[in-house]
């Protein structure tokens, strides 16, 4: 089985986000980038599938710091690693890159494309369904367990309120991973050093084929940023306020 | 223009956010517009009993399956779109919605905006506010129609449930689509709440040492039950044996990310914050205005936690009795 | 003599059996990887003299120390009797008589036989009546067999002499045997038969002892001295590097340990001193440093077996329980090195990716951002914002003191205030100092001790490069853990910095009259010696001098200085959960301080201690009676307004 796993680099979730001067993007210059957590799980699931039944895993990374993450992927067991070129200093829109991923899936004769179910920059839509639709392959998002039996896949999906649904589908397919069957493994510093010699392939992007979804007019920070609103010390008024705050979010009941 | 509100359900239930989708569509519709609720599931009973606010209900049902997989759902929806040619399709941000929205967008080429909190309509164009970076940033976007929007549950109030008369219901037999589907459902598991998993809990009420003693935990537990929340504790509370270790939040406990985190008498030491500061909505109650929990709280109150629990419980009880 | 041949046969058989019983160990040692332990012979010898000749560590426990010294000296004296017993019959004509074998030597043997029995009596009393907990898990039957053999040897020695006296030999040099001779007489035993009987019992017991030893903890009779001789002479705070010859960083079979590490296993006396001081053991975790050693020893004795070393003989939980506090190595009378073994096995686990989620998160954060908290590097110097003055960037201007601040001191809100206080004290004393701002990385001290050698190298190299690019005279650290890494571990990269702890620098400034302090009214406080400042780097006195200089009276806890009890945070423990802990070491320690009864402050000199003990005091709910304060908080320059110290009731 050939597995293609997509690794997207996104702004560090611990970092403070600041708006760029045009107000339409975030200032990426001072940001640390990290692997999208869900993609990390997708990579782990790919390696677990390889360990369980044999597979060739190709990891493709997009964004700043892609090389570092690809070395990590190689240390974890990816057989081939490719960096997909992208526009510098721009957010990674899954809608934009879907065509490139689909093309690569064909080029690598992938049977399975794995990626994280979401990323923090996918406002214009999620990668797995885009790629699935472009290839006309079945896709399932929110996977938290994948078992391959030949070309037949059993995928368990996490739905709200703890409901879990298991599906069966045949490869080729695209899966959006929520959590890997096992937590992503740790790679030691010495393994990373070894893997730093792995050759990294390059791929140039395909034109997206889809129109731009929309224009971002402005970005803003939510009002209740870090430190929040003080509701005061009177239990009665606090309770009144809380009831209305909760009700507005549909949470004033069970 | 036509607006399609996508709704969901499994077994004989409809998901609560379905009513929010219909309400959102309704709030955008103007005179002459038509709100169509699209439903796919085992049967249309619950849907036709509740979706009265919609102008039409199109229900694709298959009696043989408790749940319609997203792949089949999307194909059925595509057929509906082809017939109805709507200007706007609202999809809930749910496990199903995640597969449906972009699939339709790719196949129709329409724009899609996800994680939408607010929508403003200006004739034939929309301005929407969507969450990015886990809610740290809000993006205001201009979208031309037709378009697909994926809506955050909780962003719109629920429509009042009521029956829709049969004349306005169109039934589709989903059986053929289900049989030819490439994704088959083989099992559905509904959780057993015996062992808690705080990491997936959507609402948490956490008590700290301010709760004072074991007996008082019950007060907080009752409040949690009313809120549909799990009860959790800080390390000292668990150390004292007032709550089991599985319910400890923090560095050496569980790392949680619920939609609601109500902290009662928790000071907010860094080891505690490490486990919960990413919660969507943090409400802290602590008599000490300098307690560091207020640095991460979205709302803070400095009243006595016992007074608050009593007052809040009263109001919630009164509310549910309506 | 007719008994010569049977005795020869007996001796040769016994020697052969002994050799046979030692074969596994001998082979293991012969095949083990090399260890460089042959340098500085005089220093090594001197250590053996102090350790064995003066029983230095043994005497820290008075009863065991004294009884062991009695048995030990008696053993040497009675060895003359053994020489006599075997010599006289193996080589007919041999006798010690010409050098005093019948006179003063005989008298010594007589007296020391009684002393030896007294020593054994005390040992029995200790082991079976007092039963110290440190013997839990030690082999009771092994000890019992040895006591029986010793008693047999000594009693038969006395009785044999008594029988000879009863047969007419002069007994004036053997007062005890003479008394026994009278008893034998009364019992009506034939003198000659008695002499023969007791002789063979004596010889038989000695040979049995010899044959028994290879399988017993009493190997230490032969191995303690070499094990101490070949002890580690490197600085205590330097973790042995991964040997070049090893292909993977870690160890997962006994045979990969070098010969000294294996010799350690064979030398253990099962005294349990290490177990008694181990914070992990006290916390109820599945780690006893003694059992760690004896379990591996037993596996070595059993030969190649199916059970893997890591995860089999030694469980993962055992390995992760260690705080690397070094208390065990400090007390071990035979200089066994527990920590290098634990770290080598952890290196294996880390290389296999077998780490707990908490540790994984910390290590991933360290890989990504250079700190364990997952905070952006830009925020590392944020604490300086609230100072009333700018802090020099040592990367841009030369400084006298380069301050290596450390993760907790930089990022933890509870410690930041202390960090600012240190900055104010330095400024008040006119010290020209600077920091590395966002170029500083975690020192890697605990990363290395958690077994993550590769990441340690990355962190260390990055710090060394940054430091080398600065112009400065000395380095000061807030964190004792960073102190240790910079001072000791960084030697692996050829870095030789002069590094000192802030307590040392402040003490120096006070002595030099550069820091004039408000003097408190002598309130009583206690002080916790951080492992990596005290035990590892000998920093015992400067903190105490500071406490005195600030006008406080120090009331030390029973476990202080070298015997300080770890807070439980070291070696990566702070990043792991505390599942299985029955009593947190930090809480155990706070109880110790509370039991002093008269101290208001629990004074610390390590950022992690501030965090650990503040939480412990929260957990015990004793914030009203005891406050955790850093030494820097006690020091108030006269130039500034006297600050109000938190009040507590005592
Ligand atoms: C390595 C390590 C790991 C740790 N792991 C965890 C962990 O996983 N989880 C965790 O929680 N802690 C953890 N801690 C402990 C942490 O440092 C704190 O000690 C702990 O979180 C404090 O718990 P608390 O807030 O309940 O108690 P406190 O700090 O004692 O706070 C009680 C609060 O209640 C308020 N209060 C009192 N009475 C009332 C009232 N009537 N109404 C309103 N407010 C009131 C007080 O003002 C106070 O702020 C860890 C510590 C260490 C060192
Ligand atoms: S270093 Fe400390 S924690 Fe580790 S085994 Fe030795 S005494 Fe125990
Ligand atoms: S390792 Fe040392 S201290 Fe521990 S039991 Fe053995 S001899 Fe005693």
């Amino acid at each position: 089985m050939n597995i293609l796993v997509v690794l997207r680099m996104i702004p560090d979730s611990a970092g403070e986000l600041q708006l760029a001067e045009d107000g339409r993007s975030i200032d990426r210059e001072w940001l640390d980038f990290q692997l999208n957590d869900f993609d990390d799980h997708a990579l782990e699931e790919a390696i677990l599938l390889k360990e369980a039944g044999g597979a060739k895993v190709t990891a493709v990374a997009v964004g700043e710091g892609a090389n570092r993450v690809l070395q990590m992927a190689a240390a974890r067991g990816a057989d081939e690693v490719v960096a997909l070129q992208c526009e510098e200093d721009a957010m990674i829109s899954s809608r934009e890159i879907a065509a490139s991923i689909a093309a690569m899936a064909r080029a690598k004769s992938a049977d399975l494309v794995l990626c994280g179910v979401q990323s923090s920059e996918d406002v214009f839509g999620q990668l797995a369904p885009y790629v699935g639709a472009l290839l006309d392959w079945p896709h399932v998002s929110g996977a938290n367990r994948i078992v391959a039996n030949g070309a037949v896949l059993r995928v368990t999906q996490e739905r709200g309120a703890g409901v879990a649904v298991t599906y069966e589908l045949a490869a080729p397919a695209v899966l959006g991973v929520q959590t890997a069957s096992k937590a992503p493994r740790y790679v030691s510093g010495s393994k990373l050093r070894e893997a730093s010699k792995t050759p990294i392939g390059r791929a140039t992007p395909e034109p997206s084929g889809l129109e731009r979804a929309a224009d971002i007019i402005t970005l803003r920070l939510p009002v209740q940023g870090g430190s929040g609103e003080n509701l005061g010390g009177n239990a009665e008024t606090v309770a009144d306020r809380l009831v209305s705050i909760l009700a507005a979010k549909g949470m004033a009941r069970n | 223009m036509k607006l399609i509100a996508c709704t969901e359900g499994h077994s004989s239930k409809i998901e609560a956010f379905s009513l929010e989708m219909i309400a959102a569509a309704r709030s955008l519709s103007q005179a002459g517009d038509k709100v169509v609720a699209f439903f796919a599931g085992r049967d249309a009973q619950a849907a036709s009993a509740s979706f009265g606010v919609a102008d039409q209900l199109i229900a694709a049902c298959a009696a043989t399956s408790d749940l319609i997989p997203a792949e089949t759902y999307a194909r059925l929806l595509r057929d509906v779109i082809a017939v109805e040619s709507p200007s706007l399709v609202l999809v809930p941000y749910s496990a199903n919605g995640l597969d449906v929205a972009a699939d339709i967008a790719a196949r129709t080429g329409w724009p899609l905006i996800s994680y939408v909190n607010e929508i403003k309509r200006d004739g034939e164009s929309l301005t929407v506010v969507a969450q990015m970076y886990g809610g740290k940033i809000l993006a205001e976007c201009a979208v031309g129609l037709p378009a697909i929007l994926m809506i955050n549950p909780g962003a719109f109030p629920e429509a009042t449930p009521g029956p829709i008369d049969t004349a306005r219901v169109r039934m589709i037999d989903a059986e053929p689509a289900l049989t030819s589907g490439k994704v088959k459902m083989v099992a559905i598991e509904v959780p057993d709440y015996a062992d808690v998993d705080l990491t997936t809990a959507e609402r948490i009420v956490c008590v700290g040492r301010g709760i004072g003693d074991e007996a008082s935990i019950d007060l907080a537990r009752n409040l949690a039950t009313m809120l549909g929340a799990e009860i959790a504790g800080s390390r000292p509370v668990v150390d004292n044996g007032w709550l089991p270790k599985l319910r400890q939040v923090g560095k050496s406990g569980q790392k949680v990310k619920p939609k609601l985190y109500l902290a009662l008498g928790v000071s907010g030491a860094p080891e505690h914050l490490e486990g919960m500061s990413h919660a969507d909505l943090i409400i802290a109650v602590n008599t000490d205005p300098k307690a560091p929990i207020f640095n991460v709280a979205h709302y803070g109150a400095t009243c006595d936690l016992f007074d608050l629990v009593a007052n809040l419980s009263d109001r919630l009880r009164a509310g549910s009795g309506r | 003599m007719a008994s010569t041949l049977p005795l020869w046969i007996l001796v040769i058989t016994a020697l052969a059996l002994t050799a046979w019983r030692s074969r596994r160990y001998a082979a293991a040692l012969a095949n083990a990887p090399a260890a460089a332990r042959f340098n500085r012979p005089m220093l090594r010898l001197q250590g053996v003299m102090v350790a064995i000749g003066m029983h230095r560590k043994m005497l820290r426990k008075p009863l065991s120390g004294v009884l062991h010294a009695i048995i030990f000296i008696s053993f040497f004296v009675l060895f003359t009797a053994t020489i006599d017993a075997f010599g006289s019959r193996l080589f007919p004509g041999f006798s010690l008589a010409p050098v005093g074998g019948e006179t003063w030597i005989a008298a010594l043997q007589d007296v020391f036989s009684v002393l030896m029995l007294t020593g054994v009596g005390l040992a029995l009393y200790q082991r079976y009546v007092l039963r110290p907990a440190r013997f839990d898990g030690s082999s009771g039957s092994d000890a019992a067999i040895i006591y029986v053999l010793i008693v047999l040897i000594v009693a038969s020695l006395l009785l044999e002499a008594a029988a000879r006296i009863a047969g007419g030999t002069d007994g004036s040099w053997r007062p005890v045997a003479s008394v026994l001779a009278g008893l034998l007489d009364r019992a009506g035993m034939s003198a000659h038969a008695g002499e023969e009987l007791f002789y063979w019992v004596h010889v038989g017991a000695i040979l049995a002892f010899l044959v028994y030893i290879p399988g017993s903890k009493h190997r230490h009779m032969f191995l303690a001295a070499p094990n101490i001789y070949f002890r580690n002479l490197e600085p205590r705070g330097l973790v042995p590097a991964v040997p070049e010859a090893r292909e993977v960083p870690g160890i997962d079979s006994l045979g990969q340990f070098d010969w000294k590490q294996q010799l350690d296993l064979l030398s253990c006396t099962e005294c349990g001193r290490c177990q008694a001081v181990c914070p992990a053991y006290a916390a109820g975790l599945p780690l006893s440093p003694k059992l760690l050693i004896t379990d591996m020893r037993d596996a070595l004795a059993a030969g190649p077996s199916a059970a893997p070393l890591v995860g089999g003989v030694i469980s993962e939980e055992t390995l992760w329980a260690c705080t690397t506090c070094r208390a065990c190595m400090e007390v071990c009378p035979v200089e066994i090195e527990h920590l290098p073994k634990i770290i080598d096995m952890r290196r294996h686990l880390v290389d296999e990716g077998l780490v707990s989620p908490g540790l994984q998160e910390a290590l991933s954060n360290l890989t990504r951002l250079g700190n364990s908290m997952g905070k952006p590097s830009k925020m590392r110097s944020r604490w300086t914002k609230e100072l009333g003055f700018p802090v020099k960037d040592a990367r841009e201007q030369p400084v006298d003191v380069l301050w290596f601040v450390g993760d907790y001191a930089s990022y933890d809100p509870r410690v930041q205030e202390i960090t600012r206080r240190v900055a104010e004290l330095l400024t008040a004393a006119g010290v020209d100092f600077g920091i590395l701002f966002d170029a500083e990385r975690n020192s890697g001290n605990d990363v290395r001790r958690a077994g993550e050698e590769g990441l340690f190298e990355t962190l260390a190299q990055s710090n060394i490069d940054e430091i080398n690019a600065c112009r400065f005279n000395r380095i000061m650290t807030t964190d004792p853990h960073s102190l240790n890494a910079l001072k000791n571990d960084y030697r692996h990269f050829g870095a030789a910095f002069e590094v000192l702890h802030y307590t040392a620098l402040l003490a120096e400034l006070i002595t030099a009259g550069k820091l004039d302090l408000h003097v408190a009214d002598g309130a009583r406080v206690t002080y916790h010696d951080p492992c990596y400042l005290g035990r590892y780097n000998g920093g015992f006195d400067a903190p105490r001098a500071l406490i005195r200089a600030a006008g406080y009276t120090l009331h030390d806890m029973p476990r202080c200085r070298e015997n300080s009890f770890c807070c439980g945070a070291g070696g990566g423990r702070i990043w792991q959960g505390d599942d299985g802990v029955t009593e947190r070491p930090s809480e155990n320690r706070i109880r110790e301080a509370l039991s002093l009864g008269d101290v208001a402050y629990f004074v610390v000199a390590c950022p992690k201690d501030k965090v650990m003990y503040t939480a412990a005091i929260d957990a015990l709910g004793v914030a009203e009676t005891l406050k955790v304060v850093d030494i820097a908080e006690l020091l108030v320059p006269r130039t500034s307004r006297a600050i109000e110290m938190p009040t507590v009731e005592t």
Side-chain angles (χ1 to χ4, degrees), chain A residues 217, chain B residues 118-122 125-129 140-143:
Chain A
I217 310 170
Chain B
E118 292 169 37
I119 313 169
K120 265 188 270 150
R121 175 173 171 190
D122 182 12
S125 71
L126 299 179
T127 311
V128 305
V129 177
E140 204 174 304
C141 308
V143 210

Side-chain angles (χ1 to χ4, degrees), chain B residues 208-209 234-235 248-252 265 267 271-272 286 305, chain C residues 618:
Chain B
R209 223 155 42 87
S234 68
R235 193 174 82 170
Q248 179 180 323
V249 170
K251 186 183 189 69
S252 44
S267 64
E271 290 80 13
H272 188 83
N286 192 313
L305 75 90
Chain C
D618 277 350

Side-chain angles (χ1 to χ4, degrees), chain B residues 54-270:
Chain B
D55 299 309
Q56 193 189 1
L57 167 63
I58 300 182
C61 299
T64 54
S65 185
D66 275 338
L67 183 115
I68 306 279
E71 189 243 359
T72 309
Y73 186 108
R75 266 193 299 141
L76 292 162
L77 176 60
R78 244 150 55 209
D79 294 345
V80 170
I81 290 174
V83 174
E84 307 282 333
S85 9
S87 303
L88 189 63
V89 179
L90 303 183
V91 180
Y93 166 31
S94 65
N96 185 68
L98 278 172
D99 269 320
V100 171
D103 185 284
I104 304 280
R107 294 177 200 266
T108 54
W110 293 359
L112 159 63
I113 299 186
S114 315
Y115 320 118
V116 170
N117 273 351
E118 292 169 37
I119 313 169
K120 265 188 270 150
R121 175 173 171 190
D122 182 12
E124 292 301 284
S125 71
L126 299 179
T127 311
V128 305
V129 177
Q131 284 185 342
M132 290 182 75
Y133 304 104
K136 279 188 175 178
I137 298 271
L138 297 177
E140 204 174 304
C141 308
V143 210
L145 298 178
I148 305 160
L149 301 180
M150 186 195 271
I151 315 281
N152 283 338
F156 291 85
E158 281 174 20
T160 319
I164 183 162
D165 66 49
T166 34
R168 291 192 281 137
V169 179
R170 175 153 79 87
M171 293 296 294
I172 299 177
D173 180 8
E175 215 68 67
L178 198 64
T179 334
S180 63
K182 293 193 215 164
V183 179
K184 308 267 185 227
M185 186 189 87
V186 289
I188 176 163
E189 288 163 62
V190 182
D192 172 7
Y193 279 104
D195 21 46
V196 276
D197 182 2
L198 289 183
T199 59
T200 57
E202 299 215 330
R203 300 174 199 175
I204 292 176
V205 172
C206 179
V207 291
R209 223 155 42 87
I211 195 79
D213 54 36
E214 185 166 11
S216 310
I217 301 265
D218 280 339
L219 299 172
R221 195 180 277 120
N222 290 342
L223 176 65
T225 312
M226 278 184 252
L227 286 168
E230 288 292 345
I231 182 103
S234 68
R235 193 174 82 170
V237 168
V238 171
D239 278 359
N240 281 329
W242 301 343
L243 284 174
K245 175 86 188 173
L246 240 94
R247 293 189 183 264
Q248 179 180 323
V249 170
K251 186 183 189 69
S252 44
Q254 309 291 321
K255 312 246 156 94
V256 303
K257 199 176 173 305
K259 299 217 158 71
L260 167 67
Y261 193 86
L262 176 57
L264 303 171
V266 177
S267 64

Side-chain angles (χ1 to χ4, degrees), chain A residues 137-160:
Chain A
W137 291 358
H139 51 87
V140 176
S141 291
N144 63 4
R145 193 165 61 236
I146 302 172
V147 181
N149 189 353
V152 179
L153 302 166
R154 265 189 181 233
V155 181
T156 305
Q157 178 191 52
E158 178 76 42
R159 293 174 80 97

Side-chain angles (χ1 to χ4, degrees), chain C residues 96 209 217 219 277 282 336 390 394 401 456 487 556 571 607 623 626:
Chain C
L96 287 181
F209 193 79
K217 70 183 180 102
R219 267 186 314 265
V277 296
I336 284 170
V401 173
F456 162 71
K487 190 167 149 186
D556 261 321
L626 192 64

